[in-house]
Amino acid sequence: MINIHIQEADFDHSELYNGLRSANTPPGAVVTFTGLVRDFSSHGDVQAIYLEHYPAMTEKTLHKIAVTAQERWQLENIVIVHRVGKITAREQIVFVGVASLHRKEAFQACEYIMDYLKNDAPFWKKEITPTHELWVENKKSDSEALDKWR
Amino acid sequence: MINIHIQEADFDHSELYNGLRSANTPPGAVVTFTGLVRDFSSHGDVQAIYLEHYPAMTEKTLHKIAVTAQERWQLENIVIVHRVGKITAREQIVFVGVASLHRKEAFQACEYIMDYLKNDAPFWKKEITPTHELWVENKKSDSEALDKWR
Amino acid sequence: MIKILFFARLKDQLNCSGLNLEINDLDNQSSITIRKLLDYLFNKNPSWQSTFEHQQVFIAVNQEIVGRETTIKDGDEVAFFPPVTGG
Amino acid sequence: MIKILFFARLKDQLNCSGLNLEINDLDNQSSITIRKLLDYLFNKNPSWQSTFEHQQVFIAVNQEIVGRETTIKDGDEVAFFPPVTGG
């Protein structure tokens, strides 16, 4: 089962984890990734970030990534939650959780989904520091991360 | 910070996740792995498992694995919880959580710890089916999993 | 009608989140390439050209990433945006 | 004294979770190898030899994995067990 949510509100990690555990075939392995707002960057202290997205494209892209992961590995459940709007430092931004019969599949699928989300999903992050609001530059390491899935 | 717990009682995933999030340097990434008891195996229906361990060696081994991970990657927090004794089907067995500044480090360290735990930590699993109690055989895929860390 | 959208830094730089165009305004054809659409936009707003040329700009037609030679037709949604930075 | 421990399937097969030995019972030396310790045990319990030979058995001295040529001395803890299957 694939569940995707784009929302402004914070999410309940525990609820998402419990959803991943419950499947018709009980999974042997659950891997979760959570991305959090760091309180500093190369621009200095970060008080918050602002996340813009392209709504019509976002869910479509995330769904496509999840379906591709499901074709590549044997997975019971996939949950993707991404917040948009203003998010304060130390808060949760994104959750990707995968439940599978096997540990290796769960690890690989979760990392695969995050790697593609970072490169393909139309989100843009602006950092809000005490003095500036700056769009974040994309990182070369994010596009290089895709090499291992090719 | 490294936290290791060997216990008979079930663990609270949400509490462990919240512990991982709180660090002096707020992490940007938290990855968790949870292993669960599957309700079937090559022996048929599994009602429960029984986990024996070698107490004096278990914590020593897990601590060594966590320290090695910490030397290899930049990590803020590592939490390992492993249950022993009788565990019913669908319950949680093991939790490994890692908090790091970066996503890739968190994924790699979490999978590394699980791969070494599976091969080096002195736990032995017995499957309890309606008719039998059978010690689980070790899997070749578990020892092969270590190749990627060498 | 063609719906054109700009996002994030590009939206700020152009000071425009989007616009609608009739395909007949662009050309006397029923379809044109993204390249021609951009030429039309640069012609109307000369400052936009350097904004596009000084950075990497992605193009999506109906929410799928495409290149500049892709052909668009009436009813399409065309989006322009900088490299993504979510997650 | 040397503390000897057996775990999991090996414990069930030998029907023994462990025993304590005085090093003087084994040899007139202050230290001996694991190999000699096993010879002593097989001599006392002839059925144990085939149990050890028909499967992979790991050895830990003071909770560290070692081989059969490792030397043990008074006060050591020696554990024998099948491949681990936790997690």
Side-chain angles (χ1 to χ4, degrees), chain B residues 21-60:
Chain B
R21 270 182 75 173
S22 52
N24 291 335
T25 310
V30 175
V31 172
T32 73
F33 173 87
T34 316
L36 305 156
V37 182
R38 278 174 282 172
D39 62 2
F40 71 94
S41 80
S42 53
H43 303 138
D45 286 346
V46 174
Q47 296 172 320
I49 60 165
Y50 177 81
L51 265 162
E52 183 176 327
H53 77 131
Y54 175 10
M57 187 171 168
T58 312
E59 277 210 44
K60 221 167 161 174

Side-chain angles (χ1 to χ4, degrees), chain A residues 43-60:
Chain A
H43 302 138
D45 287 345
V46 174
Q47 296 171 320
I49 60 165
Y50 178 82
L51 265 162
E52 181 174 328
H53 77 133
Y54 176 9
M57 187 172 169
T58 312
E59 278 209 44
K60 222 170 161 172

Side-chain angles (χ1 to χ4, degrees), chain D residues 26-27 32-41 68:
Chain D
L26 301 174
D27 204 339
I32 60 157
T33 63
I34 299 284
R35 187 175 300 280
K36 279 202 173 163
L37 170 65
L38 284 172
D39 288 343
Y40 174 85
L41 294 172
R68 291 195 180 200

